[in-house]
Amino acid sequence: AQRHTDPGFAFESWLDLWLSAGMHRWSIRDLMDRICCPLGLLQGTEDAFGTRAQLDTILTRARSQKVGLHMVRGASHELHKENPDSVADMWQFLTA
């Protein structure tokens, strides 16, 4: 409700997708070794929707030559609102 005008619609749409027939087989892991573009991995340490383990998997599987990783202490899921400087810093890193 904090992030969506119509939280019921947002939830039902998300639920329908994640419970759909083919979703339990879906994974990006098999494609990760093809990633070679610059990567900006930015996550809050209090993000309830992602874990450091996910970022570590990306780090070990992707072939990118330019990778930035920054865990923002105390931030949650909306870094662009909570800590816009961290987003700007990552953008600067990636475009330098």
Side-chain angles (χ1 to χ4, degrees):
Q2 296 172 355
R3 294 177 177 91
H4 300 283
T5 305
D6 186 347
F9 174 77
F11 177 77
E12 292 296 326
S13 297
W14 175 85
L15 184 65
D16 289 347
L17 173 66
W18 284 100
L19 295 180
S20 64
M23 186 53 79
H24 73 278
R25 291 185 311 271
W26 180 85
S27 175
I28 194 172
R29 287 187 181 124
D30 293 338
L31 302 173
M32 291 176 76
D33 63 341
R34 299 163 99 188
I35 299 172
C36 55
C37 63
L39 294 173
L41 306 176
L42 185 62
Q43 185 169 314
T45 59
E46 306 305 312
D47 189 339
F49 301 103
T51 68
R52 174 61 194 254
Q54 291 168 314
L55 300 182
D56 289 340
T57 298
I58 295 168
L59 288 171
T60 59
R61 304 273 313 257
R63 294 184 302 121
S64 179
Q65 298 298 307
K66 187 172 192 174
V67 178
L69 169 63
H70 182 60
M71 299 295 294
V72 181
R73 189 178 314 278
S76 61
H77 192 63
E78 294 183 303
L79 288 174
H80 64 290
K81 292 180 182 176
E82 297 173 40
N83 195 314
D85 289 343
S86 66
V87 178
D89 291 346
M90 183 60 76
W91 178 253
Q92 290 292 338
F93 166 78
L94 291 172
T95 58

